[in-house]
Amino acid sequence: MPIAQEFSPDVVLVSAGFDAAEGNPAPLGGYKVSAKCFSFLTRQLMSLAGGRLVLALEGGHDLTAICDASEACVSALLGIQDPLAEEVLLQKPNANAVRSLQTVIQIQSQYWQSVKAYSGSVGLSYLAAQRRDCEETDAVNALASLSVGVLSNKR
């Protein structure tokens, strides 16, 4: 999302294959991404490009998984809120995912300034990362509101 926000696209096109959805076994899937999570991701993408988002169904391997994930994405597009449970938002990411994200940040930060700020939060849960961002913003705002007076050196 930081790269997408910095890029500021005019439209977002998503190849929605849902191989990562719950119900698709490894090696084709096995990631167990819930339909609610696909809804959450769709809402995130809707914040880009003024909401101009195209989801193109690419098929899949498990009909139930495709139906559940597709329905969740369409519901998100229609503005129907189906929030993730707090316990899901408090889960820390998988160690392999953290390593992958750290590598992506290391490489992409050469090209995208916005990515650098996330290097310290990839191992945090979604809520912990949000809390950290709010605390950093509050600290910056507090420092910015301080005024520094200059004392003259008159003798």
Side-chain angles (χ1 to χ4, degrees):
M1 286 302 292
I3 292 173
Q5 290 164 339
E6 187 175 342
F7 180 72
S8 187
D10 293 324
V11 67
V12 176
L13 304 172
V14 178
S15 172
F18 303 118
D19 285 349
E22 287 176 327
N24 283 321
L28 297 172
Y31 296 100
K32 302 178 184 172
V33 177
S34 70
K36 280 188 176 188
C37 188
F38 280 108
S39 174
F40 176 82
L41 295 171
T42 301
R43 287 193 306 275
Q44 294 289 306
L45 292 173
M46 290 170 64
S47 71
L48 301 168
R52 291 179 295 277
L53 173 64
V54 176
L55 301 177
L57 181 60
E58 294 290 330
H61 307 284
D62 182 90
L63 189 56
T64 302
I66 294 168
C67 290
D68 292 346
S70 296
E71 180 183 10
C73 290
V74 170
S75 293
L77 290 171
L78 294 172
I80 299 169
Q81 296 285 337
D82 193 8
L84 291 169
E86 185 174 356
E87 64 205 34
V88 172
L89 297 172
L90 287 170
Q91 289 177 343
K92 289 187 176 183
N94 174 289
N96 290 332
V98 171
R99 283 191 293 277
S100 294
L101 287 169
Q102 287 169 335
T103 301
V104 167
I105 288 170
Q106 179 185 6
I107 293 167
Q108 294 300 324
S109 64
Q110 299 172 57
Y111 310 104
W112 302 97
Q113 293 298 313
S114 58
V115 176
K116 293 176 184 177
Y118 294 90
S119 62
S121 62
V122 294
L124 301 176
S125 71
Y126 179 79
L127 289 180
Q130 270 192 330
R131 206 173 304 120
R132 179 182 170 171
D133 288 346
C134 288
E135 289 169 357
E136 287 179 5
T137 300
D138 289 347
V140 168
N141 288 339
L143 288 173
S145 69
L146 296 175
S147 62
V148 178
V150 178
L151 299 174
S152 65
N153 194 7
K154 294 181 183 178
R155 294 186 179 178

